Amino acid sequence: MKYLKIYSIFFKQYLKGLMEYRVDFLIGMVGFLFTQGAGLLFLYIIFQNITALAGFSLDQILLMYGLSLIPKGIDHLFFDNIWLLPRYVRQGGMDRYMLRPINALYVFLIERFQPDAFGEIILGTFLVITTLTNLSIPFDPVQFIVIFITLFIGIFIFTGLKLATASTSFWLKNSYPLIQVTYNLSDFMKYPITIFPKVMQVILTYVIPYALVSYYPAMYLFGEVSLIQLTLYLVLVTLFVIGLGLWVWHKGLKHYESTGS
Amino acid sequence: MRSKIKKYLPFFRTSVMNMFIYRGTIILWLLLDVFQFFMMVFLWMSVYEYNQSIQGFTLHEMLLYYLVTNLLYVFSDTEAMYIMSEEIREGRISMMLIKPISYKARLYSEVFGRVIGIFSLTLPIVTITAAVLLWAFNIPFAVTGLQVLLAVLFVPLIFMLMFEFAYFFGTISIHTTNVFGLAILMNVVIRIVSGQLIPLALYPKAILTVISHLPFKYISYPTLVMLGKLSTTDALQGLLILAIWVGVFNLFSNLIFKLSLKKIVVFGG
């Protein structure tokens, strides 16, 4: 309860700032829409010249892409502050989070709300709805709930990975490239993972499991993967990723030594 | 003339050296780019699974296209815009304007130094990547001296074109405080219309017609020349038209800068 109240206070504060910089908000959102749009254009142009990629049609691939954009955007919306962790660690800024009478990770996470992410969320939702219509996949309540839960859990895959990689900055001081490479891998989720070599497939399925929010749920909708397989995979892998993120964070925080000033 | 160049040499040198100070970080970023490049290679391999050639590009040509375009894209630098908008926002521009040096020439030297610094770090990495690619796909290395010469002639003009363009957008920040969003937008658009995203030949006719009227298509010309996709006459003609564009951009951005300078407001020093 206390946590919720604090969040609402932070959020109100944030909205006041947003109202002051409305144009910035719009430009930021359009910027992210455009960046994703370039990726879509690339796919579209390629499909002007071929009919199928690794056996998948354009609609099927766009469905995978759209599915992955939704949790990616939601993570971006709420947990964007993780990107700043390397800087806080270097400049000794973590002190203030540790001094507060509330969970340090919680205050750290809620400090920034990033509305630029609406560009990704809107685009993702749009893609999922249009491709499902184009592919004429009938509405099925069970499937709907399963996909909903998958995407919800998928958010924490992004957050967990970001937290784990960012927390290495407690030792490395600058772990920014590491976060970036892990995060950027999710850009390749607009393609079916079967186009990559076996090693990459294993990595994208189990280690940096972005395939969990794109390829596998799509395959489930196509009827290629069973519900039991998906659930088992989902639960095990997400637990591992979240656990890893929290573990590295806690280890790192213990190792934190602040700065002289 | 010589004393003039001498005046700006220190800015160039500092800027090159600045890049070398951060060589560790830059090389790390470049290695990430190499990794992403190889992911792209797998994508293209599967695109070409059932096609020998797409719009005249074979798989080998496509891979070389991306490699060379990415290397030369270093010269399409828009950093001038970020430097300017920061100097304007923080008011440092007033200090720059009262010094007995040209604001634009100083910026030119700085950005040029930066580009040379990044290029000298990028070149070895791209060379190694190219060697791996040529070996792995057994691609014959065939490029003539004339093609290299023509390609090299394009590079300074592309650099100048993009500098003028960035300088114009930098000037805009005198009127609006936030150009970062615009910058993101502009960079994406240029990636699309320059052929860095995908070779322009693959675009549908309608889009291609629009793009062919813009000067940004010349950014991919050096690569096309080296791949033998452009005749010598086309290349020479391109050089000429690009030079004219640079001249026009130069006049235009100078004019806008001059007009905007009257409006500049700097908060107390």
Side-chain angles (χ1 to χ4, degrees), chain A residues 24 27 34 41-42 45 49-50 53 176-177 180-181 184 188 195 197, chain B residues 28-29 32 36 39 42 46 51 55 66 178 181 185 192 197 202-203:
Chain A
D24 284 14
I27 292 177
F34 257 69
L41 183 72
F42 181 81
I45 304 279
N49 296 288
I50 60 173
L53 186 64
Y176 196 65
Q180 187 84 47
V181 75
N184 278 10
F188 289 97
I195 68 168
Chain B
L28 204 59
W29 283 117
L32 297 189
Q36 298 208 0
M39 294 289 277
F42 292 118
S46 97
N51 297 283
Q55 302 295 339
Y66 275 99
N178 192 318
L185 270 178
I192 293 170
L197 181 72
L202 269 65
Y203 282 118

PDB file of all heavy atoms in Angstrom, chain A residues 24 27 34 41-42 45 49-50 53 176-177 180-181 184 188 195 197, chain B residues 28-29 32 36 39 42 46 51 55 66 178 181 185 192 197 202-203:
ATOM      1  N   ASP A  24       7.928  18.408 -26.526  1.00  0.00           N
ATOM      2  CA  ASP A  24       9.012  17.438 -26.395  1.00  0.00           C
ATOM      3  C   ASP A  24       8.467  16.022 -26.368  1.00  0.00           C
ATOM      4  O   ASP A  24       9.025  15.101 -26.964  1.00  0.00           O
ATOM      5  CB  ASP A  24       9.783  17.678 -25.090  1.00  0.00           C
ATOM      6  CG  ASP A  24      10.693  18.875 -25.217  1.00  0.00           C
ATOM      7  OD1 ASP A  24      10.508  19.627 -26.175  1.00  0.00           O
ATOM      8  OD2 ASP A  24      11.564  19.036 -24.357  1.00  0.00           O
ATOM      9  N   ILE A  27       7.357  15.036 -29.880  1.00  0.00           N
ATOM     10  CA  ILE A  27       8.498  14.804 -30.763  1.00  0.00           C
ATOM     11  C   ILE A  27       9.186  13.487 -30.404  1.00  0.00           C
ATOM     12  O   ILE A  27       9.528  12.692 -31.277  1.00  0.00           O
ATOM     13  CB  ILE A  27       9.496  15.982 -30.682  1.00  0.00           C
ATOM     14  CG1 ILE A  27       8.875  17.226 -31.298  1.00  0.00           C
ATOM     15  CG2 ILE A  27      10.791  15.631 -31.399  1.00  0.00           C
ATOM     16  CD1 ILE A  27       9.738  18.453 -31.214  1.00  0.00           C
ATOM     17  N   PHE A  34       9.132   6.618 -35.700  1.00  0.00           N
ATOM     18  CA  PHE A  34       9.893   6.654 -36.947  1.00  0.00           C
ATOM     19  C   PHE A  34      11.004   5.612 -36.963  1.00  0.00           C
ATOM     20  O   PHE A  34      11.234   4.961 -37.969  1.00  0.00           O
ATOM     21  CB  PHE A  34      10.482   8.044 -37.162  1.00  0.00           C
ATOM     22  CG  PHE A  34       9.727   8.844 -38.170  1.00  0.00           C
ATOM     23  CD1 PHE A  34       8.456   9.288 -37.887  1.00  0.00           C
ATOM     24  CD2 PHE A  34      10.280   9.127 -39.406  1.00  0.00           C
ATOM     25  CE1 PHE A  34       7.742  10.020 -38.817  1.00  0.00           C
ATOM     26  CE2 PHE A  34       9.585   9.859 -40.354  1.00  0.00           C
ATOM     27  CZ  PHE A  34       8.312  10.306 -40.051  1.00  0.00           C
ATOM     28  N   LEU A  41       9.713  -0.531 -42.728  1.00  0.00           N
ATOM     29  CA  LEU A  41       9.928  -0.223 -44.138  1.00  0.00           C
ATOM     30  C   LEU A  41      10.899  -1.229 -44.747  1.00  0.00           C
ATOM     31  O   LEU A  41      10.680  -1.749 -45.844  1.00  0.00           O
ATOM     32  CB  LEU A  41      10.498   1.195 -44.274  1.00  0.00           C
ATOM     33  CG  LEU A  41      10.710   1.678 -45.703  1.00  0.00           C
ATOM     34  CD1 LEU A  41       9.383   1.971 -46.361  1.00  0.00           C
ATOM     35  CD2 LEU A  41      11.605   2.906 -45.739  1.00  0.00           C
ATOM     36  N   PHE A  42      11.956  -1.528 -43.989  1.00  0.00           N
ATOM     37  CA  PHE A  42      12.961  -2.501 -44.426  1.00  0.00           C
ATOM     38  C   PHE A  42      12.299  -3.842 -44.741  1.00  0.00           C
ATOM     39  O   PHE A  42      12.501  -4.420 -45.808  1.00  0.00           O
ATOM     40  CB  PHE A  42      13.996  -2.648 -43.310  1.00  0.00           C
ATOM     41  CG  PHE A  42      15.100  -3.604 -43.625  1.00  0.00           C
ATOM     42  CD1 PHE A  42      16.168  -3.193 -44.398  1.00  0.00           C
ATOM     43  CD2 PHE A  42      15.080  -4.890 -43.141  1.00  0.00           C
ATOM     44  CE1 PHE A  42      17.202  -4.076 -44.686  1.00  0.00           C
ATOM     45  CE2 PHE A  42      16.096  -5.773 -43.431  1.00  0.00           C
ATOM     46  CZ  PHE A  42      17.166  -5.364 -44.206  1.00  0.00           C
ATOM     47  N   ILE A  45      10.030  -3.562 -47.862  1.00  0.00           N
ATOM     48  CA  ILE A  45      10.787  -3.523 -49.125  1.00  0.00           C
ATOM     49  C   ILE A  45      11.313  -4.916 -49.472  1.00  0.00           C
ATOM     50  O   ILE A  45      11.251  -5.352 -50.623  1.00  0.00           O
ATOM     51  CB  ILE A  45      11.971  -2.539 -49.015  1.00  0.00           C
ATOM     52  CG1 ILE A  45      11.500  -1.163 -48.623  1.00  0.00           C
ATOM     53  CG2 ILE A  45      12.776  -2.522 -50.310  1.00  0.00           C
ATOM     54  CD1 ILE A  45      10.965  -0.328 -49.711  1.00  0.00           C
ATOM     55  N   ASN A  49      10.278  -8.027 -52.824  1.00  0.00           N
ATOM     56  CA  ASN A  49      11.145  -8.787 -53.709  1.00  0.00           C
ATOM     57  C   ASN A  49      11.121 -10.292 -53.466  1.00  0.00           C
ATOM     58  O   ASN A  49      11.604 -11.057 -54.287  1.00  0.00           O
ATOM     59  CB  ASN A  49      12.582  -8.274 -53.590  1.00  0.00           C
ATOM     60  CG  ASN A  49      12.693  -6.822 -54.055  1.00  0.00           C
ATOM     61  OD1 ASN A  49      12.609  -6.550 -55.242  1.00  0.00           O
ATOM     62  ND2 ASN A  49      12.824  -5.905 -53.119  1.00  0.00           N
ATOM     63  N   ILE A  50      10.627 -10.723 -52.300  1.00  0.00           N
ATOM     64  CA  ILE A  50      10.504 -12.155 -52.022  1.00  0.00           C
ATOM     65  C   ILE A  50       9.105 -12.432 -51.489  1.00  0.00           C
ATOM     66  O   ILE A  50       8.382 -11.496 -51.120  1.00  0.00           O
ATOM     67  CB  ILE A  50      11.555 -12.648 -50.999  1.00  0.00           C
ATOM     68  CG1 ILE A  50      11.391 -11.912 -49.662  1.00  0.00           C
ATOM     69  CG2 ILE A  50      12.959 -12.463 -51.538  1.00  0.00           C
ATOM     70  CD1 ILE A  50      12.265 -12.469 -48.571  1.00  0.00           C
ATOM     71  N   LEU A  53       9.977 -15.544 -45.941  1.00  0.00           N
ATOM     72  CA  LEU A  53      11.274 -15.545 -45.286  1.00  0.00           C
ATOM     73  C   LEU A  53      11.298 -16.741 -44.336  1.00  0.00           C
ATOM     74  O   LEU A  53      10.504 -16.796 -43.399  1.00  0.00           O
ATOM     75  CB  LEU A  53      11.464 -14.233 -44.517  1.00  0.00           C
ATOM     76  CG  LEU A  53      12.824 -13.998 -43.883  1.00  0.00           C
ATOM     77  CD1 LEU A  53      13.914 -13.893 -44.921  1.00  0.00           C
ATOM     78  CD2 LEU A  53      12.800 -12.735 -43.045  1.00  0.00           C
ATOM     79  N   TYR A 176      27.505   0.301 -20.014  1.00  0.00           N
ATOM     80  CA  TYR A 176      26.535   0.770 -20.991  1.00  0.00           C
ATOM     81  C   TYR A 176      26.515  -0.043 -22.288  1.00  0.00           C
ATOM     82  O   TYR A 176      25.450  -0.458 -22.738  1.00  0.00           O
ATOM     83  CB  TYR A 176      26.775   2.251 -21.269  1.00  0.00           C
ATOM     84  CG  TYR A 176      25.644   2.935 -21.952  1.00  0.00           C
ATOM     85  CD1 TYR A 176      24.416   3.084 -21.314  1.00  0.00           C
ATOM     86  CD2 TYR A 176      25.778   3.389 -23.246  1.00  0.00           C
ATOM     87  CE1 TYR A 176      23.360   3.692 -21.958  1.00  0.00           C
ATOM     88  CE2 TYR A 176      24.725   3.996 -23.892  1.00  0.00           C
ATOM     89  CZ  TYR A 176      23.515   4.147 -23.244  1.00  0.00           C
ATOM     90  OH  TYR A 176      22.477   4.735 -23.888  1.00  0.00           O
ATOM     91  N   PRO A 177      27.698  -0.338 -22.885  1.00  0.00           N
ATOM     92  CA  PRO A 177      27.684  -1.153 -24.114  1.00  0.00           C
ATOM     93  C   PRO A 177      27.056  -2.531 -23.907  1.00  0.00           C
ATOM     94  O   PRO A 177      26.381  -3.049 -24.792  1.00  0.00           O
ATOM     95  CB  PRO A 177      29.171  -1.288 -24.460  1.00  0.00           C
ATOM     96  CG  PRO A 177      29.818  -0.114 -23.830  1.00  0.00           C
ATOM     97  CD  PRO A 177      29.055   0.141 -22.571  1.00  0.00           C
ATOM     98  N   GLN A 180      23.392  -2.155 -23.943  1.00  0.00           N
ATOM     99  CA  GLN A 180      22.957  -1.832 -25.296  1.00  0.00           C
ATOM    100  C   GLN A 180      22.930  -3.073 -26.185  1.00  0.00           C
ATOM    101  O   GLN A 180      21.963  -3.297 -26.906  1.00  0.00           O
ATOM    102  CB  GLN A 180      23.908  -0.786 -25.894  1.00  0.00           C
ATOM    103  CG  GLN A 180      23.454  -0.254 -27.227  1.00  0.00           C
ATOM    104  CD  GLN A 180      22.456   0.891 -27.081  1.00  0.00           C
ATOM    105  OE1 GLN A 180      22.674   1.806 -26.308  1.00  0.00           O
ATOM    106  NE2 GLN A 180      21.360   0.832 -27.800  1.00  0.00           N
ATOM    107  N   VAL A 181      23.971  -3.893 -26.126  1.00  0.00           N
ATOM    108  CA  VAL A 181      24.015  -5.049 -27.025  1.00  0.00           C
ATOM    109  C   VAL A 181      22.917  -6.038 -26.665  1.00  0.00           C
ATOM    110  O   VAL A 181      22.251  -6.602 -27.538  1.00  0.00           O
ATOM    111  CB  VAL A 181      25.406  -5.714 -27.064  1.00  0.00           C
ATOM    112  CG1 VAL A 181      25.696  -6.524 -25.826  1.00  0.00           C
ATOM    113  CG2 VAL A 181      25.525  -6.595 -28.292  1.00  0.00           C
ATOM    114  N   ASN A 184      19.633  -4.362 -27.803  1.00  0.00           N
ATOM    115  CA  ASN A 184      19.512  -4.286 -29.259  1.00  0.00           C
ATOM    116  C   ASN A 184      19.177  -5.618 -29.903  1.00  0.00           C
ATOM    117  O   ASN A 184      18.612  -5.661 -30.986  1.00  0.00           O
ATOM    118  CB  ASN A 184      20.804  -3.757 -29.879  1.00  0.00           C
ATOM    119  CG  ASN A 184      20.870  -2.248 -29.826  1.00  0.00           C
ATOM    120  OD1 ASN A 184      20.041  -1.631 -29.168  1.00  0.00           O
ATOM    121  ND2 ASN A 184      21.824  -1.664 -30.489  1.00  0.00           N
ATOM    122  N   PHE A 188      16.209  -7.795 -33.411  1.00  0.00           N
ATOM    123  CA  PHE A 188      16.212  -8.896 -34.377  1.00  0.00           C
ATOM    124  C   PHE A 188      14.999  -9.801 -34.215  1.00  0.00           C
ATOM    125  O   PHE A 188      14.838 -10.760 -34.949  1.00  0.00           O
ATOM    126  CB  PHE A 188      17.503  -9.694 -34.266  1.00  0.00           C
ATOM    127  CG  PHE A 188      18.674  -8.919 -34.782  1.00  0.00           C
ATOM    128  CD1 PHE A 188      19.487  -8.221 -33.911  1.00  0.00           C
ATOM    129  CD2 PHE A 188      18.919  -8.847 -36.133  1.00  0.00           C
ATOM    130  CE1 PHE A 188      20.543  -7.470 -34.392  1.00  0.00           C
ATOM    131  CE2 PHE A 188      19.972  -8.103 -36.626  1.00  0.00           C
ATOM    132  CZ  PHE A 188      20.791  -7.416 -35.748  1.00  0.00           C
ATOM    133  N   ILE A 195      16.037 -18.172 -38.787  1.00  0.00           N
ATOM    134  CA  ILE A 195      16.984 -17.744 -39.814  1.00  0.00           C
ATOM    135  C   ILE A 195      18.397 -17.655 -39.262  1.00  0.00           C
ATOM    136  O   ILE A 195      19.348 -17.580 -40.016  1.00  0.00           O
ATOM    137  CB  ILE A 195      16.603 -16.385 -40.467  1.00  0.00           C
ATOM    138  CG1 ILE A 195      16.728 -15.237 -39.476  1.00  0.00           C
ATOM    139  CG2 ILE A 195      15.213 -16.426 -41.055  1.00  0.00           C
ATOM    140  CD1 ILE A 195      16.646 -13.873 -40.156  1.00  0.00           C
ATOM    141  N   PRO A 197      21.802 -18.965 -36.939  1.00  0.00           N
ATOM    142  CA  PRO A 197      22.432 -20.271 -36.672  1.00  0.00           C
ATOM    143  C   PRO A 197      21.987 -20.841 -35.325  1.00  0.00           C
ATOM    144  O   PRO A 197      21.499 -20.104 -34.460  1.00  0.00           O
ATOM    145  CB  PRO A 197      23.931 -19.957 -36.676  1.00  0.00           C
ATOM    146  CG  PRO A 197      24.051 -18.484 -36.658  1.00  0.00           C
ATOM    147  CD  PRO A 197      22.782 -17.904 -37.143  1.00  0.00           C
TER     148      PRO A 197
ATOM    149  N   LEU B  28      34.767  -0.639 -28.690  1.00  0.00           N
ATOM    150  CA  LEU B  28      33.732  -1.519 -28.147  1.00  0.00           C
ATOM    151  C   LEU B  28      32.415  -1.354 -28.907  1.00  0.00           C
ATOM    152  O   LEU B  28      31.763  -2.318 -29.289  1.00  0.00           O
ATOM    153  CB  LEU B  28      33.529  -1.180 -26.671  1.00  0.00           C
ATOM    154  CG  LEU B  28      32.956  -2.279 -25.787  1.00  0.00           C
ATOM    155  CD1 LEU B  28      33.858  -3.491 -25.820  1.00  0.00           C
ATOM    156  CD2 LEU B  28      32.806  -1.791 -24.362  1.00  0.00           C
ATOM    157  N   TRP B  29      32.043  -0.079 -29.161  1.00  0.00           N
ATOM    158  CA  TRP B  29      30.817   0.199 -29.921  1.00  0.00           C
ATOM    159  C   TRP B  29      30.917  -0.379 -31.320  1.00  0.00           C
ATOM    160  O   TRP B  29      29.966  -0.936 -31.848  1.00  0.00           O
ATOM    161  CB  TRP B  29      30.562   1.703 -30.026  1.00  0.00           C
ATOM    162  CG  TRP B  29      30.009   2.309 -28.781  1.00  0.00           C
ATOM    163  CD1 TRP B  29      30.598   3.251 -28.001  1.00  0.00           C
ATOM    164  CD2 TRP B  29      28.762   2.014 -28.147  1.00  0.00           C
ATOM    165  NE1 TRP B  29      29.803   3.552 -26.937  1.00  0.00           N
ATOM    166  CE2 TRP B  29      28.663   2.816 -26.999  1.00  0.00           C
ATOM    167  CE3 TRP B  29      27.709   1.134 -28.447  1.00  0.00           C
ATOM    168  CZ2 TRP B  29      27.576   2.776 -26.150  1.00  0.00           C
ATOM    169  CZ3 TRP B  29      26.624   1.105 -27.599  1.00  0.00           C
ATOM    170  CH2 TRP B  29      26.568   1.907 -26.467  1.00  0.00           C
ATOM    171  N   LEU B  32      30.300  -3.987 -31.408  1.00  0.00           N
ATOM    172  CA  LEU B  32      28.860  -4.266 -31.348  1.00  0.00           C
ATOM    173  C   LEU B  32      28.251  -4.149 -32.729  1.00  0.00           C
ATOM    174  O   LEU B  32      27.391  -4.944 -33.123  1.00  0.00           O
ATOM    175  CB  LEU B  32      28.150  -3.298 -30.399  1.00  0.00           C
ATOM    176  CG  LEU B  32      28.543  -3.337 -28.935  1.00  0.00           C
ATOM    177  CD1 LEU B  32      27.596  -2.482 -28.119  1.00  0.00           C
ATOM    178  CD2 LEU B  32      28.514  -4.753 -28.418  1.00  0.00           C
ATOM    179  N   GLN B  36      26.210  -6.915 -34.955  1.00  0.00           N
ATOM    180  CA  GLN B  36      24.917  -6.688 -35.603  1.00  0.00           C
ATOM    181  C   GLN B  36      25.016  -6.897 -37.102  1.00  0.00           C
ATOM    182  O   GLN B  36      24.074  -7.355 -37.729  1.00  0.00           O
ATOM    183  CB  GLN B  36      24.421  -5.279 -35.298  1.00  0.00           C
ATOM    184  CG  GLN B  36      24.209  -5.087 -33.813  1.00  0.00           C
ATOM    185  CD  GLN B  36      23.145  -4.066 -33.497  1.00  0.00           C
ATOM    186  OE1 GLN B  36      22.545  -3.490 -34.367  1.00  0.00           O
ATOM    187  NE2 GLN B  36      22.910  -3.854 -32.221  1.00  0.00           N
ATOM    188  N   MET B  39      24.645 -10.499 -37.771  1.00  0.00           N
ATOM    189  CA  MET B  39      23.238 -10.901 -37.655  1.00  0.00           C
ATOM    190  C   MET B  39      22.510 -10.574 -38.964  1.00  0.00           C
ATOM    191  O   MET B  39      21.681 -11.353 -39.444  1.00  0.00           O
ATOM    192  CB  MET B  39      22.554 -10.167 -36.493  1.00  0.00           C
ATOM    193  CG  MET B  39      23.060 -10.522 -35.114  1.00  0.00           C
ATOM    194  SD  MET B  39      22.586 -12.174 -34.565  1.00  0.00           S
ATOM    195  CE  MET B  39      20.952 -11.878 -33.950  1.00  0.00           C
ATOM    196  N   PHE B  42      23.088 -13.131 -41.689  1.00  0.00           N
ATOM    197  CA  PHE B  42      22.205 -14.305 -41.632  1.00  0.00           C
ATOM    198  C   PHE B  42      20.829 -13.991 -42.210  1.00  0.00           C
ATOM    199  O   PHE B  42      20.230 -14.798 -42.902  1.00  0.00           O
ATOM    200  CB  PHE B  42      22.064 -14.808 -40.192  1.00  0.00           C
ATOM    201  CG  PHE B  42      23.333 -15.379 -39.672  1.00  0.00           C
ATOM    202  CD1 PHE B  42      23.977 -14.815 -38.588  1.00  0.00           C
ATOM    203  CD2 PHE B  42      23.908 -16.485 -40.288  1.00  0.00           C
ATOM    204  CE1 PHE B  42      25.170 -15.328 -38.124  1.00  0.00           C
ATOM    205  CE2 PHE B  42      25.104 -17.005 -39.828  1.00  0.00           C
ATOM    206  CZ  PHE B  42      25.727 -16.427 -38.744  1.00  0.00           C
ATOM    207  N   SER B  46      19.092 -15.765 -45.618  1.00  0.00           N
ATOM    208  CA  SER B  46      17.790 -16.417 -45.732  1.00  0.00           C
ATOM    209  C   SER B  46      16.872 -15.698 -46.726  1.00  0.00           C
ATOM    210  O   SER B  46      16.015 -16.331 -47.334  1.00  0.00           O
ATOM    211  CB  SER B  46      17.165 -16.639 -44.350  1.00  0.00           C
ATOM    212  OG  SER B  46      16.286 -15.666 -44.022  1.00  0.00           O
ATOM    213  N   ASN B  51      16.481 -16.894 -54.103  1.00  0.00           N
ATOM    214  CA  ASN B  51      16.719 -15.905 -55.159  1.00  0.00           C
ATOM    215  C   ASN B  51      18.200 -15.834 -55.493  1.00  0.00           C
ATOM    216  O   ASN B  51      19.029 -15.749 -54.587  1.00  0.00           O
ATOM    217  CB  ASN B  51      16.266 -14.521 -54.699  1.00  0.00           C
ATOM    218  CG  ASN B  51      14.786 -14.462 -54.441  1.00  0.00           C
ATOM    219  OD1 ASN B  51      13.982 -14.388 -55.354  1.00  0.00           O
ATOM    220  ND2 ASN B  51      14.410 -14.534 -53.172  1.00  0.00           N
ATOM    221  N   GLN B  55      16.927  -7.297 -57.708  1.00  0.00           N
ATOM    222  CA  GLN B  55      17.146  -6.005 -58.380  1.00  0.00           C
ATOM    223  C   GLN B  55      18.604  -5.854 -58.799  1.00  0.00           C
ATOM    224  O   GLN B  55      19.199  -4.785 -58.634  1.00  0.00           O
ATOM    225  CB  GLN B  55      16.749  -4.854 -57.442  1.00  0.00           C
ATOM    226  CG  GLN B  55      15.336  -4.891 -56.954  1.00  0.00           C
ATOM    227  CD  GLN B  55      14.315  -4.704 -58.069  1.00  0.00           C
ATOM    228  OE1 GLN B  55      14.634  -4.172 -59.122  1.00  0.00           O
ATOM    229  NE2 GLN B  55      13.104  -5.166 -57.859  1.00  0.00           N
ATOM    230  N   TYR B  66      26.584  -3.408 -47.799  1.00  0.00           N
ATOM    231  CA  TYR B  66      26.372  -2.972 -46.414  1.00  0.00           C
ATOM    232  C   TYR B  66      27.681  -2.651 -45.716  1.00  0.00           C
ATOM    233  O   TYR B  66      27.779  -1.679 -44.962  1.00  0.00           O
ATOM    234  CB  TYR B  66      25.584  -4.023 -45.628  1.00  0.00           C
ATOM    235  CG  TYR B  66      24.108  -3.849 -45.824  1.00  0.00           C
ATOM    236  CD1 TYR B  66      23.413  -4.624 -46.732  1.00  0.00           C
ATOM    237  CD2 TYR B  66      23.418  -2.863 -45.141  1.00  0.00           C
ATOM    238  CE1 TYR B  66      22.065  -4.437 -46.943  1.00  0.00           C
ATOM    239  CE2 TYR B  66      22.070  -2.665 -45.341  1.00  0.00           C
ATOM    240  CZ  TYR B  66      21.400  -3.453 -46.236  1.00  0.00           C
ATOM    241  OH  TYR B  66      20.068  -3.251 -46.446  1.00  0.00           O
ATOM    242  N   ASN B 178      14.623  22.818 -28.177  1.00  0.00           N
ATOM    243  CA  ASN B 178      14.872  21.391 -28.262  1.00  0.00           C
ATOM    244  C   ASN B 178      14.893  20.892 -29.701  1.00  0.00           C
ATOM    245  O   ASN B 178      13.872  20.834 -30.369  1.00  0.00           O
ATOM    246  CB  ASN B 178      13.819  20.621 -27.466  1.00  0.00           C
ATOM    247  CG  ASN B 178      14.215  19.186 -27.292  1.00  0.00           C
ATOM    248  OD1 ASN B 178      14.706  18.548 -28.219  1.00  0.00           O
ATOM    249  ND2 ASN B 178      14.035  18.666 -26.102  1.00  0.00           N
ATOM    250  N   GLY B 181      14.730  15.864 -30.666  1.00  0.00           N
ATOM    251  CA  GLY B 181      13.693  15.042 -31.287  1.00  0.00           C
ATOM    252  C   GLY B 181      13.743  15.163 -32.796  1.00  0.00           C
ATOM    253  O   GLY B 181      13.727  14.169 -33.517  1.00  0.00           O
ATOM    254  N   LEU B 185      14.523  12.288 -35.795  1.00  0.00           N
ATOM    255  CA  LEU B 185      13.688  12.175 -36.990  1.00  0.00           C
ATOM    256  C   LEU B 185      14.510  12.326 -38.265  1.00  0.00           C
ATOM    257  O   LEU B 185      14.447  11.508 -39.176  1.00  0.00           O
ATOM    258  CB  LEU B 185      12.646  13.291 -36.984  1.00  0.00           C
ATOM    259  CG  LEU B 185      11.332  12.995 -36.317  1.00  0.00           C
ATOM    260  CD1 LEU B 185      10.445  14.208 -36.354  1.00  0.00           C
ATOM    261  CD2 LEU B 185      10.663  11.854 -37.034  1.00  0.00           C
ATOM    262  N   ILE B 192      17.002   6.408 -44.482  1.00  0.00           N
ATOM    263  CA  ILE B 192      16.083   5.805 -45.448  1.00  0.00           C
ATOM    264  C   ILE B 192      16.363   6.286 -46.865  1.00  0.00           C
ATOM    265  O   ILE B 192      16.433   5.492 -47.794  1.00  0.00           O
ATOM    266  CB  ILE B 192      14.612   6.115 -45.056  1.00  0.00           C
ATOM    267  CG1 ILE B 192      14.255   5.400 -43.761  1.00  0.00           C
ATOM    268  CG2 ILE B 192      13.654   5.705 -46.172  1.00  0.00           C
ATOM    269  CD1 ILE B 192      12.935   5.813 -43.158  1.00  0.00           C
ATOM    270  N   LEU B 197      19.853   2.218 -45.210  1.00  0.00           N
ATOM    271  CA  LEU B 197      18.933   1.214 -44.678  1.00  0.00           C
ATOM    272  C   LEU B 197      18.862   0.012 -45.610  1.00  0.00           C
ATOM    273  O   LEU B 197      18.957  -1.131 -45.178  1.00  0.00           O
ATOM    274  CB  LEU B 197      17.544   1.829 -44.512  1.00  0.00           C
ATOM    275  CG  LEU B 197      16.459   0.933 -43.938  1.00  0.00           C
ATOM    276  CD1 LEU B 197      16.672   0.687 -42.461  1.00  0.00           C
ATOM    277  CD2 LEU B 197      15.082   1.545 -44.162  1.00  0.00           C
ATOM    278  N   LEU B 202      16.079  -1.197 -54.541  1.00  0.00           N
ATOM    279  CA  LEU B 202      15.025  -2.119 -54.116  1.00  0.00           C
ATOM    280  C   LEU B 202      13.690  -1.422 -53.854  1.00  0.00           C
ATOM    281  O   LEU B 202      12.660  -2.080 -53.721  1.00  0.00           O
ATOM    282  CB  LEU B 202      15.462  -2.882 -52.854  1.00  0.00           C
ATOM    283  CG  LEU B 202      16.189  -4.215 -53.066  1.00  0.00           C
ATOM    284  CD1 LEU B 202      17.519  -4.006 -53.749  1.00  0.00           C
ATOM    285  CD2 LEU B 202      16.382  -4.940 -51.765  1.00  0.00           C
ATOM    286  N   TYR B 203      13.720  -0.104 -53.742  1.00  0.00           N
ATOM    287  CA  TYR B 203      12.487   0.623 -53.446  1.00  0.00           C
ATOM    288  C   TYR B 203      11.493   0.542 -54.617  1.00  0.00           C
ATOM    289  O   TYR B 203      11.912   0.437 -55.770  1.00  0.00           O
ATOM    290  CB  TYR B 203      12.791   2.101 -53.177  1.00  0.00           C
ATOM    291  CG  TYR B 203      13.345   2.385 -51.810  1.00  0.00           C
ATOM    292  CD1 TYR B 203      14.613   2.933 -51.647  1.00  0.00           C
ATOM    293  CD2 TYR B 203      12.604   2.111 -50.679  1.00  0.00           C
ATOM    294  CE1 TYR B 203      15.129   3.195 -50.393  1.00  0.00           C
ATOM    295  CE2 TYR B 203      13.110   2.372 -49.422  1.00  0.00           C
ATOM    296  CZ  TYR B 203      14.367   2.907 -49.287  1.00  0.00           C
ATOM    297  OH  TYR B 203      14.863   3.175 -48.047  1.00  0.00           O
TER     298      TYR B 203
END
